[in-house]
Amino acid sequence: MSRAERLLDLIQVLRRHRAPVSGRQLAQETGVSLRTLYRDIASLQAQGAPVEGEPGLGYVLRPGFTLPPLMFREEEIEALVLGMRWVAGRADTPLAAAASDALAKIAAILPSDLRERLDASALMVGPADTAPDGIDLSALRGAIRAQHKVAIRYRDAGGAGSERVIWPFALGFFERVRVAVAWCEARDDFRHFRTDRMEALTLTGERYPRSRHALLRDWRAVQGIAPAP
């Protein structure tokens, strides 16, 4: 691996961590010695990268630092293509179109050799057998972004119907179904709602009283899911 590739890897590792991370952990994640890691940190700082910290305290990359997309490695391109193809085949129509548009924008700014690799990617996504949604999924995604309550008419696995007001804050895409993660006012607790069992969705325009980030954090704690790094 060249020195330039090593520095790029270090930046990518730093971007995955929101809190300061020790030099020893960075060295382990990038596969270099601690001495080499300290030299690489100094090189990045000398080149203007906003890496803050020092030995014993840890290092963090200040938010807002971006890299040109020309730095994509071949495996990163394959990951992008595979992910976009999965979304295009399994998401609702607006999100699927957005995935195709994003891939086209990436292709437009790649150098010719990398663009050819993107077009010729051999990683394919198999056919989907997804249960049809009972509501407009783009409206639900919009409510999640806006942190708004929605009213739904829902039918559970046993066929029993109910009307709920929920605070949706996440949407899980599984192989056959999509599941909204929400706080349910009727149950005063977290609940999961399959979108194919939603018979109606009404946008209230009313912001729910807690932030989406706080709800997601508490839901992860209840589920025993480790917080994002």
Side-chain angles (χ1 to χ4, degrees), residues 156-216:
D156 65 20
S162 62
E163 294 189 359
R164 316 277 188 99
V165 174
I166 62 173
W167 310 351
F169 58 87
L171 185 61
F173 287 78
F174 297 88
E175 191 63 26
R176 293 203 68 254
V177 299
R178 270 83 74 141
V179 177
V181 185
W183 180 266
C184 177
E185 291 190 352
R187 298 292 182 264
D188 196 29
D189 201 355
F190 294 113
R191 288 292 186 269
H192 305 126
F193 300 94
R194 283 176 46 164
T195 58
D196 61 308
R197 292 179 181 165
M198 292 183 184
E199 298 181 334
L201 180 144
T202 302
L203 302 175
T204 68
E206 180 184 355
R207 190 179 177 92
Y208 42 74
R210 301 186 62 200
S211 73
R212 184 176 67 238
H213 176 76
L215 288 167
L216 185 59

Side-chain angles (χ1 to χ4, degrees), residues 85-92 96 125-130 173-175 178:
R85 286 176 176 171
W86 194 96
V87 173
R90 284 165 170 75
D92 56 277
V125 176
D129 183 23
T130 306
F173 287 78
F174 297 88
E175 191 63 26
R178 270 83 74 141

